[in-house]
Amino acid sequence: MKNRTFRLFSMLFLLCLCMDSIVAREGTDPRPRAQAKYLPTAPIFDGSVEDDPAWQPLTPLTNFTQQNPNNGEPATLMTKVYVGYTDEALHIAFIAYEDDIDDMAPSSNGWESDAVMVVIDPYRSELSGTVFSTNQTGVEWDASLFNGNSDWNWSTVWDAKTKVNEDNWSVEMVIPFTSIQYPKQEVQSWGINFSRYVKNRNENSVWAPIPRQFSIWRLGLAGVIEDIKPPPSKRNIRFNPYLITAQGEGEDQELVDRSDYGFDVLYSLSPTLNLTATFNTDFAQVESDRLQINTGRFSLFFPETRPFFLENSALFSIGVPRETLVFHSRRIGIARDGTRLPMDGGVKLAGHVGRQNEVGLMYLRADSAIDESYEDFAVARYSRTLTNRSKFGFLATNRDSGSFQSQSFAGDLQWGIGEYGEIRSFFATSSANDGIDRDDEYTYAIYGVYNSPDWQSSASYHEVGAGFNPAMGFVQRRNSRKIHVASRRSVLIDSKWGLREWRPQGIYTAYWDFDGEKESGYLTLDSDFIWKNGANFSSAINLAEERVRYPFYVAGEEVLVGEYRSPELNIAVNGPFDRKWGISGALRVGGFYQGDRTAVNVFSSYTFSEHLNMSIGYNFSEVDFPNLEEPFDFSLMSFGFRAAFTPKLTFSGRLQYNDADDVLSTNVRFAWLRSASTGFYLVYSEVDDGRFADASQRRSVVLKYSHMFDVNF
């Protein structure tokens, strides 16, 4: 096995060395270009654009085109964008014109309202960037982008002001240069794109055109803003101290009760490289996990939500999402049952070195989930960006649990082929001195993607050895070989009933063990109809194959050993986007292991005003196993609300009940924010777990205040 590992790593390394000469952009660069203008005087920051003399010398960017519903057609409403900068910040302004200013759809929820957005790729890497978005109410959303994926839990320092006028609404954004990582050149050109969403028309328009099969996250399609002259390298320190008092009751009370303090501090070694330190780290203000019901044999995946780990999180990611991750930060400071463990602190160095190189180093210490000792966690990452969405990199992790240590090593590469094609691959090994003999401590995958306007297809092969046990990762299946093939056809339709597109698709996924025995197989034949107002209807025939070697339980009922072929019909409906009331639902009828299942899923949200919206979800399943006298059922219910008194003052909550495990979870938060998620938080959390005889409960009330001191020198 060691020889095989060495050969695979050698082949990967040699291929990486050749990538610079292999990868090249095809064709000419058709992206729109514009010039950023230096602003001798900063605009008055009040959301008013037309009357501000600072904006008047600038030529606005217009000529927005639709991405949806009529891709490539001119936007139905005029949008103007102004781009300027001062010595301290990037300034962006929007004027969004309306036919009827009273027909807008404002909301404190960005997914339920009109909105404008800017996407920035300072390195023109075509892989990583940042997003800044707001709507008529002035609520701010920001995200980090990596490889076509967005992370909306990420946050940085910036501000937005809005104003509603007679025939338009306008926006001013101020993004400090210290909040953006950019190259060191005196004069720079950044990748950039702007978009506007009009809810009552279900229309999304963009400045740099985007084919309908992609999204604005496709950074290679962004336009270019030239002649940006950001300030020379400055030292920036952001010091975020916090004070907290918390009272707990029930299980884990000793972990909750405290009056304490801690801090995070970010020091910019350069505009492209940040050093972050954290002491006595606390994440009490972070929302609780969403409950899930496990109806299968393998572990459920829970995403990361803690701010310290979310910044630059995409840099540290190698693997197959939700299946096999070499590094998953939830292994740090969170026990397997979801309990948050005390963290002494740590340091993280992350950012760019030069235009193409990205590095990440992380070290943290947290209490052990096993005993009263602690564990040390270390991660090192290097990634090199090439042209045309291509890159390669390496990652290493080490977990020191005192009596034993465990490590993981990985490499990955991505090769963009032309405009539509892409090949990705990774390889990883693990090792530990815990005295357990393991064979086949490796995993690797290779997959290809082809996305044209008419066809979207992918194929992959993924293998996980029986002994692969990453020190700080997540593995859903071991001793498995997986094949995945998917293809979808997009057919445009212009019908009098408002039908816009038909998407037939086929998906096949199968897993085998190393003895060649098929463990699972899933075949889906789907037909999806999409209307111009955003409504859609889909019907699918699913065929699942499961080989159960050992019995397991679903909602307390035993799934027997055996081989099962389970056909199923799935029908799903989503309502239009242009209503205050949104609703979606799905019906699944068919086989389920040794029996049959009928499942109904319903989700509904209602926007009362720009200050309040609510949602409710209900997932119900009834299962009939022939070995039982009568069917059994289980359900997952949720209720959520968000009240925004101002863009910075919010009251929100989520109530969830999982009757399969008899778990009731409540999380209510009052937040008075200042900048980048700092401010005042009052949080009430409760978990009532009926799985145990004593009906264990966990309750806590947390009062937390944090403040950001932002210093440049």
Side-chain angles (χ1 to χ4, degrees):
M1 177 59 207
K2 291 183 178 179
N3 290 334
R4 182 181 181 183
T5 301
F6 177 77
R7 288 197 301 270
L8 286 169
F9 260 120
S10 299
M11 291 173 61
L12 179 63
F13 181 69
L14 290 174
L15 182 56
C16 290
L17 292 179
C18 297
M19 289 288 284
D20 269 314
S21 60
I22 294 175
V23 176
R25 178 182 299 280
E26 295 186 3
T28 59
D29 187 354
R31 295 180 289 181
R33 294 175 175 267
Q35 288 186 325
K37 297 295 184 181
Y38 178 75
L39 302 173
T41 302
I44 300 172
F45 190 53
D46 58 2
S48 179
V49 178
E50 290 181 305
D51 299 329
D52 193 327
W55 292 115
Q56 291 177 2
L58 277 63
T59 301
L61 308 180
T62 55
N63 298 324
F64 276 51
T65 60
Q66 296 183 49
Q67 186 185 8
N68 289 309
N70 300 311
N71 187 261
E73 295 293 323
T76 59
L77 295 173
M78 170 69 76
T79 304
K80 295 180 179 180
V81 181
Y82 300 83
V83 182
Y85 64 94
T86 62
D87 293 330
E88 303 296 331
L90 181 69
H91 293 256
I92 297 174
F94 290 83
I95 301 178
Y97 290 91
E98 293 280 350
D99 287 340
D100 183 355
I101 202 68
D102 297 323
D103 195 32
M104 296 187 300
S107 171
S108 61
N109 184 336
W111 308 111
E112 300 290 339
S113 71
D114 290 23
V116 293
M117 178 186 298
V118 56
V119 175
I120 304 174
D121 177 12
Y123 283 86
R124 298 180 64 186
S125 66
E126 303 182 357
L127 290 173
S128 61
T130 52
V131 180
F132 303 93
S133 179
T134 189
N135 66 3
Q136 304 96 319
T137 69
V139 178
E140 300 166 4
W141 302 278
D142 48 18
S144 64
L145 296 179
F146 184 78
N147 218 14
N149 298 307
S150 59
D151 186 347
W152 291 92
N153 291 305
W154 176 84
S155 185
T156 191
V157 177
W158 68 291
D159 210 347
K161 293 286 186 181
T162 61
K163 182 181 179 182
V164 178
N165 306 300
E166 290 185 0
D167 64 347
N168 67 73
W169 59 283
S170 55
V171 177
E172 289 183 304
M173 296 181 177
V174 178
I175 307 170
F177 283 117
T178 53
S179 296
I180 307 173
Q181 290 192 335
Y182 53 85
K184 293 183 178 180
Q185 287 85 353
E186 180 179 353
V187 181
Q188 302 183 20
S189 297
W190 293 0
I192 200 165
N193 207 351
F194 309 95
S195 75
R196 177 187 178 186
Y197 178 62
V198 183
K199 184 185 176 185
N200 58 23
R201 303 182 183 213
N202 188 34
E203 180 181 312
N204 186 53
S205 58
V206 290
W207 176 60
I210 300 175
R212 56 192 172 92
Q213 75 269 27
F214 300 125
S215 74
I216 196 171
W217 312 148
R218 179 74 172 226
L219 297 175
L221 298 173
V224 179
I225 289 291
E226 300 174 322
D227 294 335
I228 297 177
K229 299 178 182 179
S233 177
K234 283 187 177 182
R235 295 293 184 262
N236 172 246
I237 294 180
R238 292 178 186 164
F239 180 57
N240 300 342
Y242 78 84
L243 298 173
I244 186 171
T245 180
Q247 293 292 320
E249 180 182 320
E251 188 180 356
D252 302 326
Q253 179 177 351
E254 68 280 2
L255 298 177
V256 176
D257 285 349
R258 68 195 190 280
S259 294
D260 212 343
Y261 68 93
F263 64 81
D264 293 338
V265 58
L266 182 148
Y267 175 57
S268 61
L269 299 175
S270 73
T272 66
L273 191 63
N274 292 329
L275 177 65
T276 306
T278 178
F279 168 73
N280 201 18
T281 317
D282 178 86
F283 300 109
Q285 80 280 10
V286 176
E287 291 184 351
S288 58
D289 290 325
R290 294 183 181 271
L291 295 183
Q292 303 180 51
I293 296 178
N294 194 346
T295 60
R297 295 171 284 164
F298 305 100
S299 299
L300 294 173
F301 178 84
F302 289 89
E304 180 61 86
T305 58
R306 296 171 293 175
F308 179 84
F309 297 103
L310 289 172
E311 186 170 3
N312 299 109
S313 60
L315 170 63
F316 294 94
S317 179
I318 290 184
V320 177
R322 310 184 75 88
E323 286 194 32
T324 307
L325 295 175
V326 182
F327 173 68
H328 184 38
S329 56
R330 283 184 62 96
R331 296 289 296 272
I332 303 173
I334 297 181
R336 291 186 179 275
D337 64 354
T339 302
R340 292 173 182 168
L341 304 171
M343 293 181 57
D344 294 342
V347 293
K348 178 169 65 174
L349 176 70
H352 287 81
V353 179
R355 179 177 288 273
Q356 293 180 278
N357 304 301
E358 199 167 5
V359 298
L361 299 171
M362 193 185 323
Y363 166 80
L364 293 110
R365 171 171 287 185
D367 281 13
S368 172
I370 302 174
D371 51 38
E372 296 183 357
S373 64
Y374 58 82
E375 293 183 291
D376 292 327
F377 303 84
V379 189
R381 173 68 154 141
Y382 170 77
S383 179
R384 182 173 177 84
T385 301
L386 307 174
T387 58
N388 199 31
R389 312 182 313 281
S390 301
K391 70 180 184 70
F392 69 87
F394 304 95
L395 179 140
T397 72
N398 182 73
R399 183 171 186 170
D400 187 345
S401 303
S403 58
F404 66 90
Q405 294 79 40
S406 49
Q407 298 85 30
S408 301
F409 303 94
D412 66 332
L413 63 89
Q414 177 174 313
W415 181 9
I417 303 174
E419 183 180 356
Y420 301 145
E422 201 167 271
I423 293 176
R424 305 180 190 177
S425 182
F426 80 92
F427 178 81
T429 65
S430 65
S431 62
N433 63 350
D434 54 4
I436 301 175
D437 292 329
R438 297 183 177 91
D439 294 323
D440 296 331
E441 297 180 73
Y442 73 94
T443 181
Y444 70 90
I446 182 168
Y447 41 106
V449 177
Y450 178 80
N451 283 330
S452 73
D454 298 324
W455 288 95
Q456 298 87 50
S457 303
S458 63
S460 65
Y461 177 81
H462 179 208
E463 186 169 308
V464 185
F468 181 63
N469 187 34
M472 298 149 61
F474 174 83
V475 181
Q476 190 175 73
R477 292 185 185 229
R478 293 179 174 86
N479 188 34
S480 71
R481 294 185 171 104
K482 171 191 172 184
I483 289 179
H484 174 82
V485 179
S487 186
R488 184 178 70 188
R489 179 83 162 92
S490 296
V491 181
L492 293 181
I493 299 173
D494 186 11
S495 77
K496 61 182 179 181
W497 300 289
L499 190 62
R500 186 190 80 194
E501 190 174 355
W502 174 46
R503 295 177 179 173
Q505 67 175 337
I507 304 172
Y508 180 69
T509 305
Y511 298 84
W512 288 266
D513 64 20
F514 280 19
D515 295 325
E517 297 287 343
K518 192 174 186 179
E519 292 288 337
S520 304
Y522 309 100
L523 174 64
T524 298
L525 300 176
D526 188 10
S527 183
D528 193 7
F529 293 91
I530 302 172
W531 278 260
K532 291 182 179 180
N533 63 6
N536 77 292
F537 171 84
S538 68
S539 60
I541 297 175
N542 306 319
L543 177 62
E545 300 176 81
E546 294 285 357
R547 186 169 183 257
V548 180
R549 295 174 179 265
Y550 305 99
F552 67 97
Y553 292 86
V554 174
E557 302 296 339
E558 185 178 23
V559 176
L560 304 176
V561 173
E563 296 184 15
Y564 305 108
R565 293 174 61 88
S566 306
E568 180 184 65
L569 174 65
N570 186 7
I571 296 174
V573 178
N574 289 296
F577 294 158
D578 59 347
R579 305 287 188 271
K580 285 189 173 183
W581 179 46
I583 188 169
S584 62
L587 171 67
R588 303 174 68 177
V589 179
F592 185 71
Y593 296 105
Q594 71 259 32
D596 297 297
R597 173 178 63 175
T598 300
V600 177
N601 301 333
V602 179
F603 178 81
S604 180
S605 65
Y606 189 82
T607 301
F608 292 88
S609 70
E610 64 185 70
H611 301 294
L612 177 65
N613 85 341
M614 294 184 179
S615 64
I616 186 169
Y618 180 61
N619 300 338
F620 173 82
S621 294
E622 183 180 80
V623 178
D624 186 5
F625 282 169
N627 55 306
L628 300 178
E629 293 183 359
E630 59 183 25
F632 67 96
D633 59 65
F634 52 89
S635 62
L636 177 63
M637 292 166 281
S638 65
F639 169 76
F641 69 90
R642 176 182 170 86
F645 307 105
T646 71
K648 301 285 188 180
L649 189 65
T650 62
F651 181 55
S652 61
R654 184 187 301 124
L655 175 69
Q656 304 173 90
Y657 179 61
N658 174 355
D659 79 344
D661 299 318
D662 195 16
V663 175
L664 175 66
S665 171
T666 305
N667 184 255
V668 180
R669 302 192 314 157
F670 174 79
W672 190 354
L673 301 181
R674 295 180 61 86
S675 182
S677 299
T678 62
F680 173 86
Y681 290 91
L682 178 61
V683 183
Y684 173 77
S685 298
E686 178 176 339
V687 177
D688 300 309
D689 196 334
R691 289 175 292 182
F692 304 98
D694 60 353
S696 64
Q697 297 177 332
R698 287 178 285 176
R699 295 190 181 99
S700 67
V701 177
V702 177
L703 181 64
K704 180 177 179 180
Y705 178 75
S706 60
H707 186 83
M708 174 179 289
F709 297 92
D710 197 354
V711 180
N712 299 312
F713 60 94

